[in-house]
Amino acid sequence: MLGRRPLFFALLLMAASGPVLAAKTPAKAPAGATDAQQGTRRQALLQYQKDLVSVIAPQADPIPLMGAALLARPLQDQPDFNSFHSLIDRAAAAQGAGPEISWARLTDCDAKASDCPNSDAVSKLVQQAPDNAAVWLLKLGQDLRDGKNDDARQDLAKAASAKVYDDYTGATLKALATTVTVLPPPTNVVGPLSATNGADVQLTLVFGLAEGQPQPALQATSRLCEENADKPAVKADCLKLGKLLEWGSSPLARSLGLHLREVLAEDPAQQEDAKRLRRNLVWQVQSFSQLSVRAKGDTAVAQHLLVLARSGGTQMSLVLTALHDYNMPVDAPADWEPGKAG
């Protein structure tokens, strides 16, 4: 049981990273293109990103400011007023700022000072979203790291009693997808042979930058549950948490919920059902990965994925809606196994 856990998470992580990796891979350079030409295009892309930040930064609403902050986060040599720190602070102080802003603030921290994730943001999240299991699993990872095992046990109990699981990836995608449409990518970014009129560039930014958002301690939670499966109270909380995670906002959360049911449930029928659903989940994520690759050369697909990202749903709802919209099955074929090409 314990031996299968790392392989399971590795398979799902590889599948789940597919869309992001596809989006982040630059379009194939035309024959004869020089390294200098590719370098020039990369610089143009960075300038486009900086221009987006500059255009959005004067706004006062929290979601556009969050989008600008996420665009600014990987940029070097930004002026202080357009830096990630400044923009996410402004977003947090803006009227109507919600927990999705605090979640983004988690990475506004100083690793050298052992203040990652941002402790103020963690405290704010506990106040803003006490019924969100993702907040308690985030805190669980922090407490385990600090050797506070009793506190981690309480975090597990609070996560199990929560009403929802939301890691705010949907809100992140909405902020970024709304932001990147403010300016069309210039010709020197799109490339003369692009078939998507820049929609693929925007998709690259949206999914690529969303990948940088923090994740709760899902593997640590799995390990804690499995290593304490002989303790009835812990096992009960883990099974209760698993049911919640099965309807969580992200494929990784859903995968953990199904995994906990498969390894902890006493009913063999429940174990087999969880295994079947987990297999379908990996199929769904790999299918979405294929769709994202298709979007790099298809304007309609790229634009539709951007529309879905702007809708404000969860990451899981985006995946399932996209598959439904393009008539792609959500159940894996009978002879398919995780790791095989779709």
Side-chain angles (χ1 to χ4, degrees):
M1 187 182 300
L2 288 173
R4 284 161 45 199
R5 179 183 55 78
L7 175 61
F8 157 64
F9 273 105
L11 284 173
L12 195 72
L13 283 166
M14 284 191 294
S17 65
V20 176
L21 293 175
K24 293 174 74 173
T25 302
K28 185 176 180 181
T34 65
D35 289 342
Q37 289 173 326
Q38 293 182 49
T40 299
R41 184 175 180 275
R42 282 194 294 271
Q43 289 301 314
L45 180 60
L46 287 172
Q47 186 58 53
Y48 170 58
Q49 201 166 330
K50 291 179 179 180
D51 290 343
L52 282 170
V53 174
S54 296
V55 169
I56 300 158
Q59 298 196 36
D61 293 333
I63 295 302
L65 285 171
M66 175 184 172
L70 295 174
L71 282 163
R73 184 165 57 187
L75 297 176
Q76 302 295 320
D77 302 323
Q78 281 288 93
D80 288 343
F81 58 85
N82 274 358
S83 68
F84 171 65
H85 172 74
S86 175
L87 291 168
I88 202 62
D89 269 4
R90 286 179 54 207
Q95 184 175 2
E100 68 279 359
I101 308 295
S102 298
W103 195 269
R105 281 189 67 225
L106 291 169
T107 58
D108 184 24
C109 57
D110 185 355
K112 294 180 179 178
S114 299
D115 187 36
C116 283
N118 184 309
S119 56
D120 287 341
V122 174
S123 298
K124 186 70 172 179
L125 280 165
V126 169
Q127 297 172 11
Q128 289 177 310
D131 288 329
N132 184 357
V135 172
W136 296 110
L137 296 186
L138 175 77
K139 193 169 181 300
L140 181 148
Q142 192 178 29
D143 286 335
L144 285 177
R145 179 199 65 189
D146 296 339
K148 299 177 180 178
N149 295 336
D150 290 341
D151 288 347
R153 173 66 186 94
Q154 292 302 310
D155 297 333
L156 177 64
K158 290 176 180 177
S161 297
K163 295 179 180 179
V164 298
Y165 174 96
D166 188 356
D167 63 9
Y168 303 106
T169 300
T172 297
L173 290 170
K174 179 180 180 179
L176 287 164
T178 302
T179 300
V180 299
T181 58
V182 172
L183 286 177
T187 303
N188 58 352
V189 171
V190 174
L193 301 181
S194 173
T196 64
N197 298 320
D200 61 329
V201 174
Q202 294 172 332
L203 204 62
T204 294
L205 289 175
V206 171
F207 283 96
L209 293 173
E211 185 186 35
Q213 288 292 71
Q215 288 290 323
L218 298 181
Q219 291 199 47
T221 301
S222 177
R223 186 165 55 250
L224 178 65
C225 286
E226 293 182 59
E227 291 177 352
N228 292 275
D230 58 337
K231 299 176 182 177
V234 176
K235 182 176 179 179
D237 278 344
C238 289
L239 286 169
K240 185 178 179 181
L241 173 64
K243 289 181 181 180
L244 179 67
L245 293 179
E246 286 189 36
W247 299 101
S249 64
S250 71
L252 286 176
R254 180 166 167 75
S255 71
L256 175 57
L258 292 168
H259 176 68
L260 291 175
R261 174 149 63 104
E262 183 182 352
V263 300
L264 297 179
E266 296 180 2
D267 183 356
Q270 285 291 319
Q271 295 175 357
E272 284 302 311
D273 183 60
K275 184 177 181 180
R276 176 185 64 83
L277 292 173
R278 192 184 68 184
R279 178 173 166 273
N280 284 342
L281 177 64
V282 179
W283 166 265
Q284 292 158 10
V285 176
Q286 288 191 355
S287 296
F288 185 76
S289 174
Q290 294 166 11
L291 187 61
S292 73
V293 172
R294 177 178 160 190
K296 292 194 67 62
D298 188 319
T299 302
V301 175
Q303 290 179 339
H304 188 62
L305 292 183
L306 286 170
V307 168
L308 292 180
R310 287 195 294 272
S311 70
T314 67
Q315 184 183 15
M316 196 69 234
S317 69
L318 186 153
V319 169
L320 294 176
T321 301
L323 298 184
H324 176 268
D325 290 348
Y326 288 97
N327 297 313
M328 300 174 74
V330 296
D331 292 336
D335 61 347
W336 182 85
E337 292 297 333
K340 291 172 62 176

